[in-house]
């Protein structure tokens, strides 16, 4: 049986402001398997982003264990965390954060160039990834020339450019209209299936959550598994 790509156990996260302490995670547990799309739902402020930031090594939890591709990240220093994050984790956010001066292909090629891949190879892989997302005709368009849905597809391609093992997405369709949201999510869903990456996706869109393999709701700092309401794609 496959090992989890992400294994979160007993995660606690507390934020301190002045003399006030806000505990948003109180022992959260979740696993993500290869090729699996796991949904994370909950109201604003419930801790979805905190969980993603901890899983993505952007923040350190106050307590708990995080294993990524079987590696316990708790003892890693900042250099080790950065190495692991660049090698094995891709991120997609609600807002695409594309570089406006680069075209779609070079936005996707950028993380590969940062990883030491030559320009020709990086552009070739970027073109292939964008083609799989239906953007073959938009490779040399800058972000300002693309629709919101197209920009988010470029962001998805960029997140998967370095062939990560784990994809973390924070409201990836939250800034899109319902029709575009569904199309972008299905493109993301299909790529997860094709590449075998594991995905943990925070969303407030219950219809999309129903198409995920498993769904967890954050409630009182804990994760509770919910039954999906729709059939998967």
């Amino acid at each position: 049986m496959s090992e989890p790509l992400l294994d979160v156990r007993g995660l606690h996260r507390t934020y301190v402001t002045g003399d006030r302490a806000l505990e948003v995670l109180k022992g959260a547990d979740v696993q993500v398997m290869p090729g699996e799309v796991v949904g994370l739902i909950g109201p604003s402020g419930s801790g979805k982003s905190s969980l993603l930031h901890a899983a993505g090594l952007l923040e350190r939890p106050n307590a708990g264990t995080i294993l990524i591709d079987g590696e316990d990240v708790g003892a890693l220093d900042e250099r080790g965390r950065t190495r692991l994050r660049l090698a094995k984790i891709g991120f997609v956010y609600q807002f695409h954060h594309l570089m406006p001066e680069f075209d779609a292909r070079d936005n996707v090629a950028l993380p590969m160039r940062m990883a030491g891949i030559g320009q020709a190879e990086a552009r070739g892989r970027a073109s292939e990834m964008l083609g799989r997302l239906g953007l073959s005709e938009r490779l040399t368009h800058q972000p300002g020339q693309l629709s919101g849905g197209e920009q988010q597809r470029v962001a998805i391609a960029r997140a998967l450019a370095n062939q990560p093992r784990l994809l973390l997405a924070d409201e990836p369709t939250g800034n899109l209209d319902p029709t575009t949201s569904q199309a972008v999510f299905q493109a993301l869903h299909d790529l997860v299936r094709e590449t075998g990456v594991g995905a943990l996706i925070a969303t407030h869109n219950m219809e999309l959550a129903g198409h995920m393999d498993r769904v967890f709701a954050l409630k009182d700092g804990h994760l509770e598994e919910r039954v999906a309401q729709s059939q998967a794609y």
Side-chain angles (χ1 to χ4, degrees):
M1 183 176 178
S2 299
E3 293 294 322
L5 293 179
L6 174 67
D7 191 354
V8 173
R9 306 171 187 171
L11 205 68
H12 288 256
R13 187 69 173 98
T14 300
Y15 296 93
V16 178
T17 304
D19 59 353
R20 299 183 60 187
L22 176 63
E23 189 177 18
V24 294
L25 299 175
K26 305 175 183 179
D29 302 277
V30 68
Q31 292 184 335
V32 180
M33 306 299 290
E36 184 180 37
V37 182
V38 177
L40 184 61
I41 62 174
S44 178
S46 62
K48 299 189 303 297
S49 294
S50 295
L51 179 58
L52 290 176
H53 290 168
L57 310 185
L58 298 174
E59 296 181 4
R60 288 184 182 272
N62 297 92
T65 301
I66 300 173
L67 287 84
I68 296 177
D69 206 13
E71 181 176 356
D72 188 340
V73 305
L76 294 177
D77 60 16
E78 287 306 314
R79 179 175 293 183
R81 289 164 67 87
T82 299
R83 171 193 58 78
L84 186 60
R85 188 165 57 242
L86 291 174
K88 295 191 176 183
I89 304 173
F91 295 90
V92 182
Y93 299 99
Q94 179 174 352
F95 300 99
H96 52 75
H97 300 300
L98 300 177
M99 302 292 287
E101 66 272 25
F102 291 170
D103 62 25
R105 180 178 57 186
D106 283 340
N107 263 285
V108 177
L110 183 60
M112 290 183 276
R113 298 286 288 133
M114 293 175 65
I117 297 173
Q119 179 173 300
E121 182 180 351
R123 282 183 166 178
R125 283 168 53 178
S127 297
E128 179 185 359
M129 183 69 70
L130 289 167
R132 292 164 72 178
L133 287 165
L135 295 175
S136 295
E137 305 300 319
R138 312 292 273 172
L139 301 181
T140 59
H141 288 65
Q142 292 179 303
Q145 299 172 302
L146 303 173
S147 69
E150 288 171 336
Q151 291 175 20
Q152 198 65 333
R153 290 183 191 215
V154 174
I156 291 168
R158 180 183 59 188
L160 294 171
N162 278 333
Q163 301 174 324
R165 298 281 288 151
L166 176 67
L167 180 68
L168 302 174
D170 196 354
E171 301 284 2
T173 64
N175 199 38
L176 305 174
D177 64 80
T179 300
T180 305
S181 175
Q182 183 172 349
V184 168
F185 176 76
Q186 184 160 358
L188 173 58
H189 184 277
D190 291 346
L191 268 180
V192 168
R193 288 285 192 263
E194 291 172 18
T195 61
V197 68
L200 180 61
I201 302 177
T203 183
H204 66 270
N205 188 322
M206 298 304 296
E207 181 179 354
L208 294 185
H211 292 292
M212 300 184 193
D213 298 310
R214 293 184 294 141
V215 178
F216 289 85
L218 258 171
K219 184 177 180 181
D220 298 326
H222 300 273
L223 284 170
E224 300 178 353
E225 187 165 2
R226 300 290 179 85
V227 177
Q229 298 299 311
S230 303
Q231 293 184 350
Y233 286 118

